[in-house]
Amino acid sequence: MSQSATSPNAPQGVGVVVIAYNDAELVGAAVRSALAQGPAVSEVVAVDDCSSDGTAAVLDQLATTEPRLRVVRRTENSGGCGTPRNDGIAAATAPYVMFLDSDDVLPDGAVPALLAAAEEHGTEVTVGRAVRRELPAGRDVRWQPGLYREAAVYASPEDEPQLLHDTLCVNKLYRRDFLMGRQLRFPDGKFTYEDFVFTARVYAEAPRVAVVPELVYVWHVRRAAAQVSISLARTDVANWRARIAAHNEAVEAFTAAGRKELAAACRTKFVDYDLCLYLRELRVRDAAYRADWWRLTRDHLAGFHPAELAAAAAPARWLARVVLAADEPRDLDRLSQLAADPARLVPPYAGADAGPVWADDLTEVVLDGLDGLPAERLPVTVDATLLAGRRGVLKLRVHELYGRLGAAGEPTGADVEFVPRDGGESALTVTAPLRPTDGGWSGQVSVPLAGLAAAGGRGTQIWDLRIRLHSAAGPGGRIAPRAQASGLRRTAVPGSRYGVLLVQPYRTSSGSLAVRLAPGVQGAFGVVGGKLRRLARTARSKRR
């Protein structure tokens, strides 16, 4: 292992590079979370990208009491995240560096865990688990959970191409002499998804990689913020265009380095993840967005080798083939639901005799591999209607899927879990017995809505539904039921516990059924008032 090019008096350990622009309210918490890592962090380099608010003053004040903090000030704004990170790499002197955004935090023990693994295994790159924390609720969603279930060491990313699914730069520890010696930098200037390109450039150099299962990064998601992050700003088709451009740069990095297998894996990852992420939302975009998105996507996918598409998981590869086969947007509701997680393949089911296909007029899109999917990964569709009353009634209809459910043992019942949107375990499970009907099975079950509201505590609550079918063959995978329009009515339910309980079943962006409960008169007024405020904001934005 080569030695870091630092002087004998240079800090040892990790230099955390914090980048900030107009984030005076949050940057202090980010810097303090890095300093709180203890002696593993020998320096924090905070790069202020020419902020116009009080960010610089916050950093200067922290630096007066913390000798490990150094502030780098840019004299003009770079327009992106890559340039200030490059400045941080250049300014750091510690043997290792990692990156932290000003609106995120490092959890306790993150840097010691990464540093210990890097030194034990002599790795150039060490990666750990990250979560997306939805604020203000505080619900954590694991980022790429399959990669971080257990510790591992890879001689090269080619030994585990799934590493390419994690395009973040912030949950990784890098040997600084590796970055400097290979001249590995982020794209400069206003470049969206710069971490896609940087991660590809790093992995194209075939570093030794260690994986730790510990939580090392908390990525804060503020959907209600005045300026949302790049990953959430998907309402403009320019965001998709920028994502494709970044993906092309990533593929080119692997190709230029002679890493053909990683270039192919990068394209397959695009189908498995990026395509599905945007297809989930396509049905709610306007006609101009849809047309532009469809054209951009078809042009991009046309450059993929058939083997790269075939290597994608079912049903992601089916989605790609529909886009390639159709000249213009079509079947957007079906596509969005198949792209959801968990996936649903909704009727009609074409080509049953000759084999499953997407549609009678699109028979070239074959749903290959459906027969080989395990029961827990079948894209089963369950229609659900929640009728509110003193005791709610949930009606279910399970659609047979080309005979797969019946072949595995006919479903006899469905366990329905009500899971809090802000995280935690299910608070209620009810079981609906199922009976055969034309094309599937149906059933219904009572739902104690007042008891569910009591389990959720005070204030407005949102509950997601998850269904698990069971049969003689055993339980299947978790299914998100599809909301039916006939049950999407707000109802005020009288009751002795709250006086009134406002029940609002609704359809999520992916078409799933969820329910909003507002206990008490105050809660009911809060929901109505919130809707009025959203309508007012929409009206104001249209006037602008």
Side-chain angles (χ1 to χ4, degrees):
M1 182 174 73
S2 61
Q3 297 299 311
S4 176
T6 58
S7 67
N9 295 324
Q12 299 302 300
V14 176
V16 179
V17 175
V18 182
I19 63 168
Y21 172 67
N22 285 355
D23 214 356
E25 292 185 1
L26 301 173
V27 67
V31 170
R32 284 189 288 271
S33 76
L35 295 170
Q37 300 294 311
V41 170
S42 55
E43 61 177 349
V44 175
V45 179
V47 183
D48 175 26
D49 198 5
C50 197
S51 297
S52 57
D53 68 349
T55 297
V58 171
L59 293 174
D60 288 343
Q61 178 60 36
L62 286 169
T64 61
T65 59
E66 177 50 68
R68 289 180 294 167
L69 174 61
R70 289 186 291 126
V71 181
V72 176
R73 292 186 181 177
R74 290 188 51 78
T75 57
E76 61 180 79
N77 180 255
S78 69
C81 297
T83 298
R85 290 198 186 115
N86 290 338
D87 291 344
I89 294 172
T93 57
Y96 296 91
V97 295
M98 68 180 300
F99 304 104
L100 172 61
D101 290 347
S102 58
D103 55 350
D104 299 331
V105 293
L106 299 179
D108 291 344
V111 176
L114 289 168
L115 181 59
E119 293 187 328
E120 177 184 355
H121 302 294
T123 50
E124 288 85 8
V125 180
T126 307
V127 303
R129 183 164 56 89
V131 294
R132 292 166 53 101
R133 181 164 294 166
E134 299 273 353
L135 296 176
R139 180 173 67 104
D140 285 351
V141 179
R142 289 193 173 197
W143 169 252
Q144 300 295 338
L147 288 171
Y148 302 110
R149 292 195 175 97
E150 58 186 24
V153 179
Y154 303 105
S156 165
E158 288 162 313
D159 292 344
E160 180 46 270
Q162 287 295 308
L163 289 169
L164 272 58
H165 282 244
D166 182 2
T167 53
L168 297 181
C169 68
V170 289
N171 60 333
K172 299 173 177 64
L173 183 71
Y174 307 89
R175 275 241 318 275
R176 184 172 174 274
D177 65 341
F178 171 72
L179 299 182
M180 298 296 286
R182 309 298 176 91
Q183 298 183 330
L184 294 167
R185 299 294 187 274
F186 290 86
D188 276 311
K190 190 175 181 180
F191 191 100
T192 310
Y193 298 112
E194 76 293 330
D195 47 353
F196 285 27
V197 179
F198 179 76
T199 300
R201 290 173 177 174
V202 168
Y203 282 159
E205 294 295 330
R208 185 172 169 84
V209 182
V211 173
V212 300
E214 286 85 1
L215 177 64
V216 303
Y217 198 85
V218 178
W219 172 8
H220 286 150
V221 178
R222 296 174 173 86
R223 298 182 188 275
Q227 180 67 40
V228 297
S229 66
I230 290 171
S231 61
L232 298 178
R234 297 196 293 264
T235 57
D236 190 327
V237 77
N239 181 277
W240 181 237
R241 186 179 292 109
R243 197 176 187 106
I244 289 175
H247 178 256
N248 282 331
E249 290 264 0
V251 171
E252 176 56 30
F254 291 125
T255 302
R259 310 286 177 188
K260 293 182 179 180
E261 291 184 4
L262 289 180
C266 189
R267 290 194 180 97
T268 298
K269 171 262 175 188
F270 181 89
V271 176
D272 278 331
Y273 181 75
D274 305 70
L275 179 69
C276 293
L277 181 65
Y278 282 72
L279 264 176
R280 292 170 197 168
E281 304 167 346
L282 189 58
R283 67 177 182 84
V284 301
R285 306 301 184 209
D286 60 38
Y289 179 107
R290 294 174 182 177
D292 286 346
W293 187 95
W294 201 267
R295 175 182 51 79
L296 288 167
T297 307
R298 292 189 81 216
D299 289 346
H300 186 51
L301 292 176
F304 287 32
H305 191 278
E308 295 165 348
L309 294 175
R317 62 177 179 262
W318 307 339
L319 298 169
R321 289 168 181 162
V322 172
V323 175
L324 282 169
D327 293 335
E328 57 187 23
R330 59 169 286 168
D331 304 335
L332 298 185
D333 186 66
R334 290 187 77 208
L335 289 170
S336 69
Q337 300 205 45
L338 190 58
D341 184 20
R344 288 185 296 265
L345 179 60
V346 303
Y349 299 131
D353 295 332
V357 297
W358 180 255
D360 288 332
D361 63 338
L362 218 60
T363 56
E364 65 266 43
V365 180
V366 178
L367 308 184
D368 60 314
L370 179 64
D371 289 345
L373 289 177
E376 63 271 14
R377 287 190 52 210
L378 284 174
V380 175
T381 296
V382 179
D383 295 337
T385 304
L386 180 61
L387 304 176
R390 288 187 178 274
R391 290 188 67 81
V393 175
L394 181 66
K395 296 185 176 182
L396 303 177
R397 174 175 172 78
V398 182
H399 292 271
E400 176 60 283
L401 187 62
Y402 293 104
R404 282 299 312 275
L405 294 181
E410 293 196 3
T412 57
D415 293 332
V416 185
E417 298 179 355
F418 288 78
V419 183
R421 173 70 58 82
D422 59 0
E425 299 297 323
S426 63
L428 173 69
T429 300
V430 295
T431 301
L434 298 176
R435 64 182 185 279
T437 57
D438 184 32
W441 299 264
S442 64
Q444 67 180 48
V445 62
S446 296
V447 180
L449 294 172
L452 181 61
R458 290 182 169 274
T460 302
Q461 312 153 18
I462 297 179
W463 300 89
D464 291 313
L465 280 67
R466 292 293 182 265
I467 293 175
R468 195 181 298 273
L469 303 178
H470 49 84
S471 66
R478 297 181 90 194
I479 301 165
R482 179 172 63 153
Q484 297 299 288
S486 59
L488 304 183
R489 294 191 297 269
R490 183 187 293 118
T491 306
V493 179
S496 58
R497 182 188 293 268
Y498 302 108
V500 64
L501 174 64
L502 190 67
V503 182
Q504 173 65 75
Y506 71 96
R507 176 185 170 122
T508 68
S509 60
S510 64
S512 302
L513 177 64
V515 60
R516 181 183 289 110
L517 300 179
V521 175
Q522 185 175 359
F525 278 119
V527 170
V528 175
K531 183 174 182 179
L532 291 175
R533 287 190 293 272
R534 288 192 294 273
L535 290 173
R537 284 197 299 268
T538 301
R540 285 195 298 270
S541 65
K542 287 181 177 179
R543 286 197 296 271
R544 295 193 190 105

